[in-house]
Amino acid sequence: MTRFFVAGMFAVFPSLLLERGAYQLSQRFSVVAASAFFPDFFSLERPRELFLAFAVSFGVIALAEEAVRWLLLRFVVKKSPELDQVVDGVQLGIASGIGFAFIENTLYFFRLFQRLDFDTLAVVFFLRFLISTFAHISFGGIMGYELVRAGANPLERRSALWRAFLLPWFLHG
């Protein structure tokens, strides 16, 4: 399980690069679109802003994080013949979700700690611990379950692979 935890940890970095690239691209088109990446500077008062927040959530953040993890876990599952039961998939997905949440939360905390924003740090620590950690554990468990199902049942392979990506992506968005 350690290798799946580590795989989840490493999935954070390509996700961040994709998200940063999308942010830099959005800066070229619209200040309002770019501000949707940072809720501190963004209000949801107008329908356009609500749509942008929705687009960034689904089309950038959830897409980048779940696509990278899907690719990584799909590769690991293919290279691991001992993963032959769906419970194995759930366990590997949970381990990768814990690894992902660990690094992501640590990066959030360091950023707030550097700004010496201790009031926000306490709130973010509590909320991210509860929401982000359990969410990534759930997304990973669903993804792992479906990936192992895809390998175990050739007749459902294609649909299980799609579900392995689409369900966590939708829930994350």
Side-chain angles (χ1 to χ4, degrees):
M1 286 298 129
T2 303
R3 67 182 165 176
F4 303 120
F5 177 79
V6 171
M9 290 171 62
F10 281 113
V12 171
F13 300 106
S15 301
L16 285 176
L17 289 175
L18 291 169
E19 291 168 13
R20 183 177 304 238
Y23 168 68
Q24 290 171 345
L25 186 64
S26 71
Q27 282 182 312
R28 294 182 180 179
F29 294 107
S30 165
V31 174
V32 175
S35 69
F37 283 83
F38 300 100
D40 300 350
F41 308 110
F42 193 71
S43 70
L44 299 175
E45 295 173 0
R46 296 187 263 315
R48 177 180 172 198
E49 292 174 347
L50 187 60
F51 173 77
L52 286 172
F54 181 81
V56 166
S57 180
F58 276 91
V60 177
I61 296 172
L63 181 64
E65 292 181 8
E66 299 309 327
V68 168
R69 190 165 26 177
W70 183 84
L71 288 169
L72 190 63
L73 287 183
R74 185 162 183 222
F75 174 78
V76 172
V77 167
K78 275 185 172 181
K79 299 293 183 193
S80 304
E82 73 273 9
L83 299 173
D84 57 354
Q85 298 179 13
V86 291
V87 71
D88 296 333
V90 172
Q91 290 174 344
L92 83 90
I94 287 172
S96 73
I98 293 170
F100 193 96
F102 173 73
I103 293 296
E104 187 181 53
N105 289 342
T106 301
L107 293 173
Y108 269 96
F109 300 147
F110 279 142
R111 187 172 59 208
L112 290 172
F113 194 74
Q114 286 175 337
R115 292 186 346 209
L116 301 175
D117 193 355
F118 297 114
D119 293 336
T120 305
L121 181 65
V123 172
V124 168
F125 178 81
F126 181 71
L127 291 176
R128 286 207 63 84
F129 172 74
L130 285 178
I131 297 169
S132 172
T133 303
F134 291 118
H136 281 292
I137 288 170
S138 300
F139 306 151
I142 292 167
M143 188 177 291
Y145 170 82
E146 291 293 346
L147 285 172
V148 171
R149 273 190 66 196
N153 188 351
L155 297 175
E156 281 191 41
R157 179 173 157 68
R158 178 176 249 163
S159 63
L161 286 173
W162 275 107
R163 283 192 307 271
F165 171 72
L166 292 175
L167 290 172
W169 170 70
F170 178 77
L171 293 170
H172 193 160

